[in-house]
Amino acid sequence: MNQDLSQYAQIIEQLKPMVKEPEFNQVLQQVASHVPKEKRFLIKMEVKRLARPCMRAIDLRGQVDGECRLYEYDGIKHYLDDVAIEVFEQQVRMFGLYSFGVYEAVLATENNFRVIREKAEARNEQDVEIPDKTSNSVSQFDVPNINLLSYAKRNEERMNFAVSLEVFTETNNSLRATSVDISIKGMKIKLSKEQLFKPGEKIGVYFRGLETEYSLDKKMAIKYQVVSISRKKEFQFLQMKRLQDAPNGHFDQFIDKFIHGNKRRYKVNMDNTIDAIINKSCEQYFSPSCPSLPVFIEVKEGRARARFAMANDLNRHILSYWNDEEDELRLGYLLTGDRLKQLIQSKHESPALYVYSFNHIQNGKVYFYSASSDELARHPALSDLFIGFGSRKVSWRVFKVGIVKVSAKDAYAPLSLPDDVGTKVKRQNARPAPRLMARLQNLAYAVQVTDITSDREQLQFSQVKIDRAQLKALKLFGHARNRPPGEIKAFRYKFQEQRMETRYLLRTAVQVVARGQTINGISEDISINGLRIEIDGEYHGDLNMRVMVSLPKLQELTSKFDVSNLHYRVVHISGDKNVLHVRSVAGDDGLPARRFFTELIKSNKSSLKTYPDEEEIPGIGHALRCINAKTPSTLAFVLSKISGRYLPQVGVLGKDANPRLKTLFSHFAEQRKMNLEVFFRDRTLDSPFIQHAIKQVKTEHQPVTREIFIAFRPAEKEPADAIDARYEHRFSSEESRQQFIENALTTGQFIAMTVTVTVTGKPDLEMLQSEINYIGVYAIHRAKELEERLWSIGACVHAVDITDQVLLRFGFDEHRIADNQKTPSQHAIEPGGIKALLKS
């Protein structure tokens, strides 16, 4: 509600039920007789606005102090708690339909965290305002840096159990300790930090706390070997495994019976399972939203060739770009043998090529041209001609091509649970089939292809003067059509099937009418309740919008049904806005469409094909997804909405990432964490980029990408002095960008990245269900907490290093670029006390 009208809220409430009645103006005169005429008019307009039909879906998960569930009204799915449902139904009765008044009332319930916070702030208005130190601190942007799909798989259940122990070291020193958890073949113990241990050290353990109750051999120590050591405050924790060369059958039988008899009393240790659920859920958010296209390289008989690619909604356009006029994938033109060889043989810690490309269409045929920055440097006479001519074309693109080593063994991603938990768990823990592993065994590298095309750079390059008489010389960079590249098989990321019914392939002409505009298209598949339609051009309507669909070709084949002006609702829009998923509206309006497709599918079931399984070998898509997740070369992090702002929760920055990124993001971070404050440096300005971009993605259903320029001076101790980060749109001119880069190179290091922001879908709980169920058996509250945490994730950010390409764009030579790759000197952050010992 407009702030000027908030004082008239009671009057507006009185008028809501009367808005559709003929006596509305008369009632307005009565209840607002004391209100100035101009304000009375504004009140009338406000009530009319609140009564307008609304199509927005409401999702209150994580925003209210209540448990939300699916609530469907007029074909629109909402997620509301009990309080919100009561308000929703009350307001619908008042307005007679789902309107903006209903929408706004539901978002303003008493248990809404935003409302609670605003009321608390209002109560404290008279207090002196205290600056919020945490909002400006660097530490709030520290997040765990995790390795995707890397978690402990237990071979046996481990029970939480504390009992007094006596430990003897290799030098026969006796120490008092306490067990933390125990299994048949392992144990974790807690003891003072005074005695130093090392991994691999052998120790003997006596279970003194059990000797009085159970018949244990008081003279025979149980032999263990230290696997890992962690420290916390004044204690150290040893993770240990039983020594195989010192068996003790009597003790094994005792521990086995003891655990199975007491695991519900003492609780099974679930730390590794909880870590695994968080880890795997992050992979679900990162993989389908990654803008880079992974292409897997096979090395056979010394020859490297691209074999497989993994497509998602954000990188699919890269595949489409390299399709020719017959829809054949020619991605191999980008990943030539010479370029792959150069990447493989590179001495850089994070090898990468920048490839410029465009295509030319003649006589209906597509001709591809591409050149890497190194190839252009080897032909300086043609460099300006290639860039100047290519950048004038709509098909101009710039790709970053990076490479990392991979291993086929990373295709195995079992559950964190031991096999003996159940037959389903044992089946899910099974290793990939030999046939599948035979197909993957020669994979040695993964290439990450990222579209880093910049409109500003393209405009800059298009100003380069060229001599069109010399254009024939560009044939040097053309790819011969009579020598097509090897086939690259593309797979899509597979997730839990969202449709509740079978889809059938059927391509037929479709007309979609939205907001009075007729859009032509072709159906890709059909079902009783829905259609997937590829349209000509882009769809500019809204999600959840009602549209009219006609099927002219099918109408010619039937007189029994009228298949024009069928009522559907748009439920999904592809990233490039040219594929619509529509669903028949609920109730009588959608009945004609459902009746027609029920009859069509029933009568033609033998000839209609179901949606194909594109995998030539079952499981290859999931295997490639696992391999790719375990070897990330870019930076990514997920965000949750907290107190009205999106803040990072977990990040991924792999060991193969560019060294300058690892240095930058670890600079102000604690061990095993990364600090992401760089991306939020503009948080005090109007429309901070991350916050604004997430809202934009939700509105436009397309990812938002910007470049960020960073001046990194690690010798400075204050964050504001050490890091100066600015998004590209914050600069006033090209000259100011150039000057920023020059200053960064002079005083420290320059870093540039493309930052892509997208929202996340719902978690695929089917992939996590076995582990969630396991936790629910022993701690139902922990299982619920985990599910709430998964649903709270709302956005994902991916960042790709483009420093060298930006420096090339601004005319810096190879020597300056090479100097910038060296890590500048840093100040030492001096920890004290126990921290000093731990970091030593």
Side-chain angles (χ1 to χ4, degrees):
M1 185 184 298
N2 190 312
Q3 198 168 5
D4 294 338
L5 294 176
S6 58
Q7 58 184 312
Y8 305 114
Q10 288 186 339
I11 295 175
I12 290 171
E13 284 298 315
Q14 289 178 268
L15 291 170
K16 282 181 181 180
M18 303 299 299
V19 66
K20 296 289 179 66
E21 302 297 329
E23 302 86 4
F24 175 73
N25 288 328
Q26 183 180 346
V27 174
L28 174 64
Q29 291 283 0
Q30 291 175 357
V31 300
S33 57
H34 62 288
V35 178
K37 190 174 182 181
E38 61 275 10
K39 291 288 186 183
R40 207 180 307 154
F41 174 75
L42 292 177
I43 291 172
K44 179 180 178 180
M45 290 300 99
E46 174 65 8
V47 177
K48 294 282 188 183
R49 181 189 71 82
L50 293 173
R52 276 173 30 213
C54 180
M55 306 298 293
R56 297 178 182 175
I58 307 173
D59 189 347
L60 295 180
R61 289 174 295 193
Q63 300 181 40
V64 294
D65 185 15
E67 186 174 343
C68 294
R69 64 179 188 271
L70 179 64
Y71 177 85
E72 188 167 346
Y73 182 85
D74 195 23
I76 302 176
K77 291 182 178 179
H78 310 280
Y79 284 93
L80 310 177
D81 69 324
D82 291 337
V83 175
I85 290 173
E86 186 179 342
V87 171
F88 187 102
E89 293 175 346
Q90 175 198 17
Q91 294 290 317
V92 165
R93 288 194 296 270
M94 195 176 290
F95 285 105
L97 77 166
Y98 175 39
S99 67
F100 280 95
V102 180
Y103 174 80
E104 292 176 11
V106 171
L107 293 182
T109 54
E110 292 295 316
N111 66 334
N112 190 292
F113 294 140
R114 174 184 55 80
V115 175
I116 294 170
R117 188 182 68 254
E118 288 174 354
K119 286 185 176 181
E121 289 172 353
R123 286 195 299 268
N124 296 325
E125 271 185 355
Q126 67 273 24
D127 298 339
V128 178
E129 187 175 341
I130 301 172
D132 183 5
K133 292 183 179 179
T134 58
S135 67
N136 293 314
S137 69
V138 175
S139 60
Q140 67 168 323
F141 298 102
D142 260 14
V143 300
N145 181 15
I146 66 171
N147 297 316
L148 293 179
L149 300 187
S150 177
Y151 44 82
K153 177 192 179 298
R154 293 239 165 110
N155 294 318
E156 54 195 6
E157 290 185 297
R158 188 177 289 260
M159 184 181 73
N160 290 323
F161 184 61
V163 66
S164 176
L165 307 171
E166 185 176 6
V167 174
F168 282 86
T169 68
E170 288 181 336
T171 56
N172 213 31
N173 285 342
S174 172
L175 302 167
R176 291 290 175 184
T178 305
S179 65
V180 176
D181 57 49
I182 189 169
S183 68
I184 296 173
K185 297 180 181 178
M187 182 165 57
K188 185 177 183 180
I189 65 173
K190 179 177 80 170
L191 67 170
S192 74
K193 62 179 177 58
E194 295 169 3
Q195 174 73 36
L196 294 178
F197 290 88
K198 60 181 183 294
E201 186 172 344
K202 297 175 182 179
I203 62 177
V205 177
Y206 292 90
F207 288 77
R208 300 305 188 196
L210 295 177
E211 290 173 352
T212 55
E213 296 181 49
Y214 301 94
S215 57
L216 295 179
D217 190 340
K218 299 179 182 181
K219 297 181 180 179
M220 176 72 75
I222 308 301
K223 300 293 185 181
Y224 285 88
Q225 185 175 33
V226 177
V227 175
S228 64
I229 304 163
S230 60
R231 298 177 176 87
K232 188 175 182 182
K233 297 183 179 178
E234 68 270 22
F235 296 105
Q236 61 180 325
F237 296 84
L238 306 186
Q239 195 76 48
M240 307 183 302
K241 67 178 182 180
R242 288 278 301 281
L243 275 178
Q244 292 184 352
D245 56 2
N248 189 321
H250 176 70
F251 182 78
D252 290 348
Q253 292 176 9
F254 164 75
I255 286 294
D256 187 23
K257 291 179 181 178
F258 186 79
I259 290 175
H260 280 87
N262 293 280
K263 65 181 181 180
R264 286 190 179 274
R265 176 185 173 192
Y266 293 111
K267 303 296 184 184
V268 170
N269 185 288
M270 297 174 292
D271 291 346
N272 69 310
T273 304
I274 292 170
D275 290 343
I277 291 172
I278 294 170
N279 190 297
K280 291 200 285 188
S281 66
C282 287
E283 187 276 330
Q284 286 185 17
Y285 294 126
F286 293 140
S287 294
S289 66
C290 181
S292 299
L293 174 74
V295 183
F296 299 88
I297 310 300
E298 179 183 82
V299 176
K300 208 170 182 180
E301 297 175 356
R303 180 171 171 261
R305 56 172 292 217
R307 287 300 309 275
F308 310 113
M310 288 295 292
N312 62 32
D313 285 343
L314 272 80
N315 65 31
R316 194 178 294 276
H317 69 282
I318 299 175
L319 289 174
S320 301
Y321 178 84
W322 292 98
N323 279 350
D324 64 14
E325 72 283 354
E326 295 179 350
D327 213 27
E328 292 289 337
L329 180 60
R330 303 302 187 195
L331 185 62
Y333 285 147
L334 172 68
L335 305 175
T336 64
D338 288 341
R339 289 173 187 162
L340 291 177
K341 184 178 179 181
Q342 182 181 348
L343 286 168
I344 291 170
Q345 294 180 352
S346 173
K347 302 299 183 185
H348 288 291
E349 192 173 334
S350 182
L353 289 177
Y354 295 97
V355 181
Y356 306 91
S357 68
F358 63 89
N359 59 53
H360 177 64
I361 300 175
Q362 186 174 356
N363 299 325
K365 295 181 178 179
V366 181
Y367 294 83
F368 292 96
Y369 293 78
S370 70
S372 70
S373 54
D374 292 344
E375 290 162 2
L376 290 176
R378 290 197 293 268
H379 300 88
L382 298 178
S383 180
D384 283 353
L385 180 66
F386 182 92
I387 287 177
F389 176 73
S391 60
R392 286 172 167 84
K393 299 180 73 68
V394 176
S395 60
W396 174 258
R397 295 289 186 278
V398 183
F399 296 102
K400 178 182 179 181
V401 182
I403 193 168
V404 294
K405 289 183 178 180
V406 300
S407 172
K409 72 177 189 301
D410 286 336
Y412 180 51
L415 300 179
S416 59
L417 307 176
D419 292 351
D420 57 11
V421 168
T423 54
K424 184 179 179 182
V425 168
K426 186 175 182 179
R427 187 172 63 251
Q428 289 177 293
N429 281 338
R431 290 188 173 275
R435 181 182 170 214
L436 170 59
M437 294 307 295
R439 182 58 63 94
L440 303 177
Q441 65 180 348
N442 294 317
L443 295 185
Y445 300 93
V447 164
Q448 300 288 342
V449 180
T450 312
D451 184 350
I452 60 169
T453 311
S454 161
D455 293 340
R456 187 174 286 108
E457 179 188 56
Q458 185 174 359
L459 178 62
Q460 178 184 331
F461 285 166
S462 66
Q463 308 301 315
V464 176
K465 293 183 179 180
I466 60 172
D467 181 0
R468 290 188 169 269
Q470 302 295 319
L471 289 179
K472 287 186 178 180
L474 294 182
K475 291 179 74 173
L476 177 67
F477 303 109
H479 298 285
R481 286 177 55 87
N482 60 356
R483 293 198 301 275
E487 181 187 12
I488 298 175
K489 181 72 175 175
F491 297 93
R492 64 185 174 93
Y493 284 92
K494 285 205 163 189
F495 297 96
Q496 180 181 1
E497 181 57 66
Q498 299 298 313
R499 290 203 180 186
M500 301 303 293
E501 56 192 2
T502 305
R503 293 181 288 170
Y504 298 91
L505 296 178
L506 179 65
R507 292 184 67 81
T508 185
V510 179
Q511 289 182 339
V512 180
V513 178
R515 289 182 178 161
Q517 177 189 6
T518 300
I519 308 167
N520 293 319
I522 299 287
S523 65
E524 290 190 348
D525 58 52
I526 64 167
S527 66
I528 292 172
N529 282 284
L531 296 170
R532 182 164 64 169
I533 306 168
E534 182 180 354
I535 62 173
D536 296 335
E538 293 185 356
Y539 174 72
H540 297 290
D542 298 323
L543 196 64
N544 287 320
M545 180 178 175
R546 187 179 286 209
V547 297
M548 309 300 289
V549 174
S550 299
L551 308 164
K553 292 293 184 184
L554 294 181
Q555 186 67 78
E556 295 173 7
L557 304 176
T558 180
S559 57
K560 183 179 177 180
F561 297 94
D562 180 4
V563 291
S564 60
N565 297 323
L566 300 174
H567 292 255
Y568 281 87
R569 193 181 303 284
V570 178
V571 295
H572 179 73
I573 307 166
S574 66
D576 48 13
K577 295 189 176 183
N578 65 357
V579 176
L580 303 180
H581 294 243
V582 296
R583 182 180 180 182
S584 61
V585 298
D588 292 340
D589 285 350
L591 197 56
R594 292 192 292 275
R595 282 177 175 168
F596 169 70
F597 280 109
T598 300
E599 181 69 24
L600 176 71
I601 292 169
K602 183 180 178 182
S603 303
N604 298 277
K605 209 159 191 177
S606 59
S607 56
L608 285 171
K609 293 181 179 179
T610 56
Y611 206 80
D613 183 355
E614 61 199 61
E615 295 191 345
E616 54 182 327
I617 298 177
I620 191 170
H622 180 72
L624 293 173
R625 171 178 168 177
C626 293
I627 293 173
N628 183 60
K630 291 179 181 180
T631 53
S633 59
T634 58
L635 166 71
F637 58 94
V638 293
L639 306 97
S640 292
K641 196 170 186 179
I642 300 171
S643 301
R645 292 186 305 158
Y646 283 92
L647 291 174
Q649 302 300 308
V650 178
V652 172
L653 184 63
K655 60 182 176 58
D656 294 309
N658 192 292
R660 56 182 158 235
L661 295 192
K662 290 188 281 189
T663 304
L664 173 67
F665 292 108
S666 65
H667 187 61
F668 287 110
E670 297 178 11
Q671 283 187 322
R672 296 192 182 94
K673 289 190 176 184
M674 64 173 82
N675 191 281
L676 301 170
E677 192 260 349
V678 169
F679 298 107
F680 300 85
R681 183 58 62 88
D682 65 344
R683 60 190 180 276
T684 59
L685 304 177
D686 292 336
S687 298
F689 171 66
I690 296 290
Q691 313 298 332
H692 179 73
I694 294 171
K695 292 179 183 177
Q696 186 177 335
V697 174
K698 287 184 174 181
T699 303
E700 300 178 1
H701 310 290
Q702 277 200 163
V704 176
T705 300
R706 290 283 188 278
E707 292 179 0
I708 187 170
F709 290 0
I710 301 161
F712 183 36
R713 295 179 282 271
E716 300 290 343
K717 293 188 177 181
E718 292 299 319
D721 299 326
I723 299 172
D724 185 0
R726 302 184 199 180
Y727 287 99
E728 57 172 336
H729 59 286
R730 302 290 184 188
F731 291 94
S732 58
S733 64
E734 285 299 296
E735 290 73 22
S736 61
R737 292 183 183 87
Q738 179 91 29
Q739 189 59 52
F740 180 90
I741 297 172
E742 186 65 58
N743 292 342
L745 292 173
T746 304
T747 59
Q749 188 176 37
F750 171 70
I751 299 172
M753 291 178 284
T754 59
V755 182
T756 301
V757 180
T758 185
V759 294
T760 56
K762 68 177 186 179
D764 186 353
L765 295 180
E766 186 176 300
M767 293 179 66
L768 309 170
Q769 203 62 57
S770 293
E771 284 150 318
I772 291 176
N773 290 346
Y774 181 76
I775 291 173
V777 169
Y778 299 104
I780 187 75
H781 66 288
R782 297 295 300 273
K784 288 183 176 180
E785 286 173 7
L786 276 170
E787 288 201 39
E788 288 173 6
R789 178 170 178 175
L790 300 186
W791 282 107
S792 73
I793 302 297
C796 186
V797 174
H798 287 263
V800 178
D801 179 86
I802 57 167
T803 306
D804 295 349
Q805 198 272 330
V806 170
L807 292 175
L808 285 170
R809 179 197 312 174
F810 282 91
F812 291 93
D813 59 35
E814 293 180 6
H815 298 296
R816 297 291 297 277
I817 295 174
D819 287 343
N820 188 60
Q821 290 171 351
K822 300 171 186 174
T823 303
S825 59
Q826 303 188 43
H827 73 275
I829 301 176
E830 299 175 2
I834 185 67
K835 290 186 178 180
L837 289 173
L838 297 184
K839 289 178 182 283
S840 61

